[in-house]
Amino acid sequence: MNDKTLSEKLDPEIQAIQNQYKERLVSDGSKLQSLVDQLSIGNAKQTADSLHRILHSISGSAGTFGFNEASTEARRIDEVLKTLISEQSETSLVQAIRREIPEFCQLLKQVSIFDSGSATELAVSNSDTSAEKNKTIKHKHDGTVWLIEQDKQLEAQFSKQLISFNFKIQTFELEQALKAAKAEGCPDALIIDLDGDDFNAITDIDTVLNAVSEPPRKLIMLSEDDGFDQRMKAAKARAISFLKKPVSLSELISHLEAVLARQEFEPPRVMLIDDDKELCSFIKIELEAEGMQVKVLDNIKNIIPELAEFRPELILLDMEMPDYSGIDIALLIRQHVQFESLPIVYLSAERDIDKQTEALLFDADDFLSKPISHKRLISSIRSRVHRARVLEQLISKDGLTGLLKHAAIKEHATRELERARRDGGMLSIVMLDIDHFKRVNDTYGHATGDTVIASLATLLRHRFRKIDIVGRYGGEEFMIILPNTNESDTFDVVDGIRKVFSEMEFTAQGETFYCTLSAGCICSEDFSSKASVSELIEAADKALYVSKNNGRNQVSKR
C-alpha cells in the first residue's frame, strides 16, 4: 500500500506523526552509516553500544508505525551484535557491523513503501470509536431508569422513593417500553418484574429484551419466586441483578447503583514516559481515541510534581532511555509513599526474558513488548486500571456506605484546597451528622442504625455533583467537599438534602419512624490564604455544633 492511499484513510494528525517518524528513520539511517564510517578495531564495542541504542529504538517503534520489516531487522541485527560482544570477538563484531548496517540503512531509505500495520488498525479503531460515540449520543438518556412493575402500588412506592434519591424514573407497561425503546433507544438501567402477566405471556424473552436493552444488559429483575427456573430465566436474559420480593429500598438502590456504575466510570488516566516523541504522540492518540486521559512526561526531573498533579492510574514506561533506565525511574517513583501502589507497566522492545524478569523484580506490575497491537494495549491498560480501582476502593472506601474513609476524605480535602488556591478558586466544606442517632440504635438496634446511615450516604451520593467529594468522617458523621462553590450555594444544597432526609420513612419492629440531620458549612474564601485544611474542617465542625445547640434539624454557616 503506498502513502497516498494510506493518507486517505488516516486521520490528518496521525498522518503528520507518521511523516515525522519517516523523517526520523531517514535520520537514524544517516547516524548508523556515520558510525560505520568511523568504525575501527579499537572502537568496535563502543560503536556497537551506540548502534544498539538506535537499533533498539527502531525495533520498538517502527512496527507501531507499520514498518514491520524495519522493526524485525533492527531487532535481528541488535541480537547478532549483542551475541558477538558477549563472545569477545572484536574482529567478528567489526565484520558483522560492516555487513549488516549498510544493508539496513538501505532498507530505511525505502520509507516510501509503507505496509499496513498498527497505524491502519488505529485508523479503523478511530472510525469505529467515532461511530460508537455518535450512536451513544443519539440514544443518551442521562441516568434514566425504566421501571416495569405489575404491582401498581409497589410501582408508585418505588417511583416516589427513587425520585427522592435523584434517580430519573419512568414507569411503563412492557408493551409501552418496547415501543419507547425502538423510538428513543435504551435507558441507562431497566427494572423488570418477572412475575408480570404481560411478561410471562411473551415466550421469546430474547426478542423482547434485545428490543429493550443492548448488551451488556442493564437489567435488574424482581420476582417473588427465587427458585432455579426463575433465576435461570434472569441469567439467560443476562440480568446483572436478581432481587427476591419483597425488596427493601436500600437493597434496590444498592443494586441500581451497581448497574449504573458499570456505565458511568471516569476515563483511565495514563502517563507515558518514553524518549521516543513520535511513538509517544502516536500512543497518546491511540489511548485518547478510547476515551482515556493521557499525559506525556516531557522532563523526567519533573516526574514527582507531575505525578502529584495528574494523579495517573497507570504509568507506561520505556525500559531503555538515554540517561535513566526504566528500573531507575520505577525505583525513584516507589521512594514516594503516595505512589507505592501506582501500577507501573514497562512498554519496551526488550525481548530478553531474563531482563524482563529482572525489571519486574523492581516493583513493576507488567511487561509489554513493542510493537504491541492496539487491542492488546487497550485491554491491558483497562484491566490494570480496573484492578487498581478495586484495590483503591477496598483501601479507601467505607464498607457500609461505600464512601471515602476518614483519612481518604481529609487527603482529598488537602488536595482540593491546594488546587483551589493554585487556580484562584474557592472550596466549601460541610460537616453533617444524624440527630439523636444513639436513640435509633438503642430503640431499634444497630442493624436498623446501619440502614439509616447507609440510606443517608446514598442520598448524599445522589444529591451532590460528580465533582463533589463525600466521605464518612466517623460513626454517623459525614464530610462533603464542594469545589468552586460558595457558602450560600452550599447552604441551599445541604438544606435541600436536610428536608428530603427528614421526610424519608424508616420501618423497624413494625413501627415507622423518621430521622433528621444537622450540618455546618464554611467556604475557604472567608479564611486566610494560609489557613490549613484542619482549620477549615474545625470551623465547619463548629458550625455543625451551632446547629445542634440551636435545636437540630438545621444547617448553619460559619
Side-chain angles (χ1 to χ4, degrees), residues 134-183:
N134 290 337
K135 181 179 179 182
T136 302
I137 291 171
K138 181 179 178 182
H139 290 154
K140 187 171 178 62
H141 286 269
D142 195 23
T144 299
V145 179
W146 289 5
L147 175 62
I148 304 172
E149 171 57 57
Q150 179 81 355
D151 185 331
K152 295 305 172 186
Q153 184 176 356
L154 188 59
E155 177 187 83
Q157 178 186 348
F158 278 159
S159 296
K160 178 183 177 182
Q161 293 175 324
L162 290 174
I163 288 172
S164 71
F165 280 85
N166 239 22
F167 289 105
K168 298 176 182 178
I169 305 297
Q170 291 180 254
T171 59
F172 288 95
E173 299 290 343
L174 185 59
E175 292 296 337
Q176 291 176 326
L178 294 177
K179 292 178 182 178
K182 291 175 182 177

Side-chain angles (χ1 to χ4, degrees), residues 469-508:
I469 305 165
V470 185
R472 187 181 182 190
Y473 203 68
E476 70 276 17
E477 189 172 17
F478 298 83
M479 176 176 160
I480 304 98
I481 304 164
L482 295 89
N484 301 316
T485 311
N486 61 37
E487 189 180 69
S488 177
D489 290 342
T490 300
F491 176 89
D492 291 341
V493 172
V494 177
D495 199 50
I497 292 172
R498 178 193 62 79
K499 293 174 183 176
V500 172
F501 184 65
S502 68
E503 296 170 356
M504 289 178 60
E505 293 184 356
F506 296 96
T507 303

Side-chain angles (χ1 to χ4, degrees), residues 327 330-335 339-346 357-366:
I327 293 176
L331 288 173
L332 184 144
I333 291 171
R334 296 299 191 218
Q335 290 170 7
F339 306 126
E340 282 184 338
S341 61
L342 174 62
I344 297 176
V345 175
Y346 288 112
T357 302
E358 179 189 7
L360 290 173
L361 290 174
F362 291 97
D363 289 335
D365 297 273
D366 203 354

